[in-house]
């Protein structure tokens, strides 16, 4: 993807070249027709670069406004439709009919002086279009008349909005001392960008059909997964990278926010069985392009494109790829375009979340992928994940076992097909935990996934949480902190870290991580309740009470209120909160009911509620070994028996 495409008449080439040289001297990549290689299909080359350039500078002159300038006028029309059109006049001419409403910047008589205020106006406008920002008001005429620049109240208001946006960035770029000043410990918040670090932004969908976004997004996600397998690379996670969809932030801002040195972006265009993928790797700090290439392939070769991009990125960053690494990049692929398309649709539905129907639709798409290619390992793994999500949230008790068994079969089939693929091992590990509570086998699967996929933030988050659930918090927190480094603007990464730190009894650090999660997503549910729990555990009862009151979800709010009101001496209020919790869902809230009774010191009722939670296979039981709210039960022999019942007695 090029920064600037220059549209002009060939008769003006000598006058355009100084502009090209000046743009390139400023670090911009420029395409003009001198870049067409000999023998290349020139029309296709022009169209491709015209349709992917971030800014199209149209040179209006006596030659281009006349009848012989129809190509320039066509290119200007296409650029206007994309919103990247910048008119520049090098002669005193009126622009053609239909372009008069767009004021042309003037470079009449310009001879290449890069300090000229008229050129600076053009450069400022180009940069604004590239980053998707508002175009600056030209200042050259004002300066030449010696008038001071005038700012309107509207301009100042926009400036305030810009500062507010920057303030949001500062929160997650702030050094530890600033976090401390704000009352946050911000664990793992900052890591300097490693030389071999990269973020993959969502590739632009150039099909003109928004319903095809799943394909361009899916390809971007697959590239993240592929690059994460190149061990010397540090790859920002999908959730954080996709926060910067649309390209409104500068490369340097994205690099600083994600802690990466390089940015990979591009575009995707599908046409029947063919796909064109254009990719560009640039230095986040300077914007200089390190590598770019366009791939025209059949859909069945899409995985070869992915591995080709990964290899090119590694070579551009001078990373030595071992032969085994190269071979593994393409292992889970398929030669079936239908299978790949259905897989991406299913994966997109899972990413979107939603109700029960959404999960059923995702499973149907993944079933279609497997029907088209029964050996598609990634599709089997993703199907297992979808079934577990469905079972945990929507499946009735009479169908639960069958659904879990179906998930286990899919997960094991994925591992059989691709035993060295982190995605299949991770799916098997998660399924073993929820379906069978087989923590020993799950730990082995997670460990295998960790070896081959240690650069995947989601895997690190899952494995770190799992280790903490088993009581191995030292190792678990290391992976959870690494996950926040790779996924620095994902609130769920910080929530997972906070839960691990709670298990480790590091309450102040956990509070900082949970406040970070809340700052990233103020409307996310359960953060206020989690913060309330941390304050409660530290004896800050009034603060905890206030935090619980802010929680929008009923069951965690009522759980917290039942505990803190009892501790504050409001027995009636505490009992009313517990009654409301039980009425909200008598069996579904059994684990939370047990927490309340444990904190009240009513051990018999606490164990009875735990028995109900065990009978219902409550997912909260995964935290039973390390949940500090059950500390009052730990010396009771009955607690040891409950740990054995749920498979957590011995450290796996």
């Amino acid at each position: 993807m090029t920064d600037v495409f220059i549209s002009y008449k060939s008769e003006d080439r000598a006058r355009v070249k100084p502009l090209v040289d000046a743009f390139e001297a400023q670090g911009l990549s420029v395409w003009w027709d001198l870049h067409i290689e000999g023998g290349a299909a020139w029309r296709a080359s022009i169209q491709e670069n015209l349709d992917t350039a971030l800014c199209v500078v149209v040179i209006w002159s006596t030659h281009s406004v006349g009848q012989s300038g129809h190509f320039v006028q066509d290119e200007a029309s296409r650029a206007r439709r994309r919103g990247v059109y910048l008119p520049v006049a090098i002669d005193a001419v009126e622009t053609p009919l239909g372009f008069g409403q767009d004021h042309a910047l003037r470079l009449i008589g310009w001879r290449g002086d890069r300090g000229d205020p008229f050129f600076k106006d053009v450069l400022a406008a180009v940069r604004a279009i590239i980053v998707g920002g508002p175009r600056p008001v030209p200042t050259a005429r004002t300066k030449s008349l010696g008038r001071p620049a005038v700012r309107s109240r509207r301009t100042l208001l926009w400036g305030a909005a810009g500062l507010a946006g920057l303030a949001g960035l500062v929160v997650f770029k702030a050094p530890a001392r600033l976090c401390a000043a704000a009352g946050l410990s911000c664990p793992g918040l900052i890591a300097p960008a490693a030389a071999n670090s990269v973020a993959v932004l969502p590739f632009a969908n150039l099909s003109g059909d928004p319903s095809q976004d799943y394909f361009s997004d899916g390809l971007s996600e697959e590239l993240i997964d592929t690059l994460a397998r190149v061990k010397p690379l540090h790859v920002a996670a999908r959730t954080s990278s996709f926060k910067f969809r649309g390209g409104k932030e500068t490369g340097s801002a994205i690099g600083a926010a994600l802690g990466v040195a390089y940015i990979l972006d591009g575009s995707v265009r599908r046409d029947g069985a063919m796909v064109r993928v254009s990719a560009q790797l640039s230095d986040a700090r300077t914007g200089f392009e390190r590598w770019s290439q366009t791939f025209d392939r059949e859909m069945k070769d899409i995985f070869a494109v992915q591995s080709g991009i990964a290899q090119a990125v590694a070579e551009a960053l001078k990373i030595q790829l071992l032969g085994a690494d190269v071979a593994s990049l393409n292992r889970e692929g398929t030669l079936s375009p239908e299978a790949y398309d259905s897989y991406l649709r299913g994966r997109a539905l899972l990413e979107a979340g939603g109700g029960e129907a959404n999960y059923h639709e995702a499973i149907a798409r993944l079933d279609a992928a497997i029907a088209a290619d029964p050996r598609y390992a990634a599709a089997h793994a993703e199907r297992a994940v979808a079934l577990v999500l469905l079972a945990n949230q929507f499946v009735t008790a009479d169908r639960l076992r069958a659904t879990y068994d179906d998930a286990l079969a899919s997960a094991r089939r994925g591992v059989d097909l691709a035993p060295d693929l982190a995605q299949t091992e991770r799916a098997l590990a998660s399924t073993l935990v929820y379906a069978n509570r087989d923590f020993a086998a799950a730990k082995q699967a997670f460990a295998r996934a960790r070896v081959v996929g240690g650069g995947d933030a989601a895997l690190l988050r899952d494995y770190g949480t799992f280790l903490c659930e088993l009581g191995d918090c030292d190792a678990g927190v290391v992976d959870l902190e690494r996950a926040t480094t790779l996924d620095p603007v994902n609130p769920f990464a910080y929530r997972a870290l906070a839960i691990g730190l709670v298990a480790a009894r590091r309450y102040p650090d956990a509070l900082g991580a949970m406040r970070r999660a809340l700052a990233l997503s103020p409307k996310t549910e359960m953060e206020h309740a989690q913060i309330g729990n941390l304050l409660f555990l530290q004896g800050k009862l009034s603060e905890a009470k206030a935090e619980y009151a802010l929680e929008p979800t009923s069951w965690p709010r009522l759980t917290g209120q039942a505990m803190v009101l009892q501790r504050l001496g409001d027995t009636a209020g505490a009992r009313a909160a517990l009654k409301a919790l039980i009425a909200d869902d008598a069996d579904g809230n059994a684990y939370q009911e047990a927490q309340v009774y444990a904190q009240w010191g009513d051990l018999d009722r606490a164990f009875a509620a735990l028995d109900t939670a065990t009978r219902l296979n409550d997912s909260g039981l995964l935290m039973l070994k390390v949940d500090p709210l059950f500390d009052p039960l730990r010396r009771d022999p009955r607690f040891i028996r409950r740990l054995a019942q749920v498979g957590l007695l011995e450290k796996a």
Side-chain angles (χ1 to χ4, degrees), residues 76-146:
S77 296
R78 294 174 72 95
R80 280 185 63 192
R81 287 196 295 271
R82 289 181 53 221
V84 295
Y85 164 65
L86 179 63
V88 175
I90 61 173
D91 289 326
V93 294
E94 289 188 8
T95 53
L97 188 65
F99 294 96
Q101 67 270 39
D102 297 297
H103 175 72
L105 297 177
R106 297 167 65 85
L107 279 182
I108 299 171
W110 184 69
R111 295 292 184 266
D113 178 6
R114 296 168 194 174
D116 185 281
F118 289 94
F119 168 71
K120 289 183 177 180
D121 281 344
V122 172
L123 181 62
V126 167
R127 285 175 169 162
I129 292 172
I130 287 174
V131 301
R135 304 188 189 188
V137 177
T139 61
R141 180 179 299 275
T142 300
K143 291 178 181 177
S144 66
L145 294 174

Side-chain angles (χ1 to χ4, degrees), residues 529 532-533 536 541 544-545 548-549 551 554-567 574 577 581 592 595-596 600 629:
N533 287 345
F536 175 81
L541 302 182
K545 179 183 175 182
Y548 288 134
E551 174 56 50
S554 61
W555 62 264
R557 180 183 68 252
L558 292 168
T559 303
Q561 288 172 333
M563 294 187 299
V564 75
L565 291 175
Q566 178 78 6
R567 191 75 61 85
L581 175 68
Q592 287 69 39
Q595 289 176 319
V596 172
W600 285 7
L629 294 175

Side-chain angles (χ1 to χ4, degrees), residues 270-276 297-301 337-338:
R270 290 180 69 184
D271 185 8
M274 298 297 296
V275 60
R276 167 174 289 179
R297 298 286 190 277
E298 292 186 56
M299 274 288 295
K300 66 180 182 180
D301 296 325
E338 295 81 7

Side-chain angles (χ1 to χ4, degrees), residues 303-608:
F303 284 96
V305 172
Q306 290 173 202
S307 60
I309 292 174
Q311 287 179 258
V313 169
E315 291 166 7
L317 300 184
K318 303 188 185 306
I319 293 173
Q320 182 64 45
L321 281 174
L322 302 177
D325 289 326
V326 176
S328 72
L329 298 181
N330 198 24
R331 187 163 295 155
E332 86 287 6
T334 177
L335 296 179
S336 167
E338 295 81 7
Y340 184 66
D341 187 83
S342 294
Y343 168 77
L344 290 186
R345 289 179 185 270
R347 183 167 175 169
L349 286 164
L350 289 184
E351 288 285 352
E356 182 178 1
N358 216 45
Y359 288 117
H360 281 296
E361 177 64 17
I363 292 166
R365 295 289 187 179
L366 294 165
D367 284 340
I370 293 167
D373 182 358
R375 299 188 62 80
Y376 195 177
H380 286 282
E382 205 71 11
R383 182 177 186 273
V385 171
L387 285 165
V388 169
L389 290 170
L390 182 70
N392 287 350
Q393 298 179 61
F394 300 108
V395 172
T396 56
D398 61 315
R399 290 289 305 156
L400 194 61
R401 186 67 258 167
T403 305
Y404 277 141
D405 287 343
D406 193 5
L408 278 168
S410 283
R412 287 177 170 139
R413 179 58 176 156
V415 170
D416 289 343
L417 291 168
D420 296 327
L421 182 64
Q423 185 180 2
T424 59
E425 294 285 8
R426 176 189 170 205
L428 177 60
S430 297
T431 307
L432 286 166
V433 168
Y434 287 105
N436 290 359
R437 291 209 188 96
D438 189 344
F439 296 103
K443 187 173 183 180
Q444 293 175 2
F446 265 133
R448 290 191 297 267
R450 179 69 169 79
V451 169
V452 295
D456 183 331
L459 169 61
L460 292 169
R461 191 166 65 242
D462 287 355
Y463 189 32
T465 301
F466 174 79
L467 290 174
C468 287
E469 290 166 350
L470 296 184
D472 189 2
C473 292
D474 289 342
V477 168
V478 169
D479 274 1
L480 291 169
E481 287 178 333
R482 174 66 178 149
T484 62
T485 300
L486 293 172
D487 209 358
V489 294
N490 182 357
F492 296 105
Y494 288 94
R495 179 195 283 188
L497 174 58
I499 291 171
L501 291 167
V502 168
R505 303 304 194 266
R506 292 168 55 183
Y507 300 142
D509 288 339
L511 185 59
M514 194 58 75
R515 288 198 187 281
R516 176 71 190 123
L518 184 62
L520 285 168
S521 183
K523 295 183 179 180
T524 302
E525 297 182 351
M526 295 195 294
E527 255 77 347
H528 284 292
Q530 296 280 10
I531 291 171
N533 287 345
L534 285 162
L535 293 167
F536 175 81
L537 289 166
Q538 295 178 80
K540 301 177 180 180
L541 302 182
S542 296
E543 294 177 52
K545 179 183 175 182
E547 202 70 41
Y548 288 134
L550 296 173
E551 174 56 50
T553 304
S554 61
W555 62 264
R557 180 183 68 252
L558 292 168
T559 303
Q561 288 172 333
M563 294 187 299
V564 75
L565 291 175
Q566 178 78 6
R567 191 75 61 85
L568 287 169
D570 183 1
T571 302
R575 293 191 179 281
L578 177 60
K579 182 178 180 180
L581 175 68
I582 295 171
D584 186 55
D585 189 342
D587 289 337
N589 292 332
Y591 184 85
Q592 287 69 39
E593 184 183 348
Q595 289 176 319
V596 172
Y597 282 127
Q599 288 300 308
W600 285 7
D602 191 339
L603 304 193
D604 291 341
R605 287 182 175 174
F607 282 118

Side-chain angles (χ1 to χ4, degrees), residues 13-30:
R13 183 169 294 138
R15 291 198 288 168
V16 170
K17 188 177 186 306
L19 186 60
V20 174
D21 294 341
F23 283 157
E24 291 180 337
Q26 294 293 324
L28 301 172
S29 57
V30 181

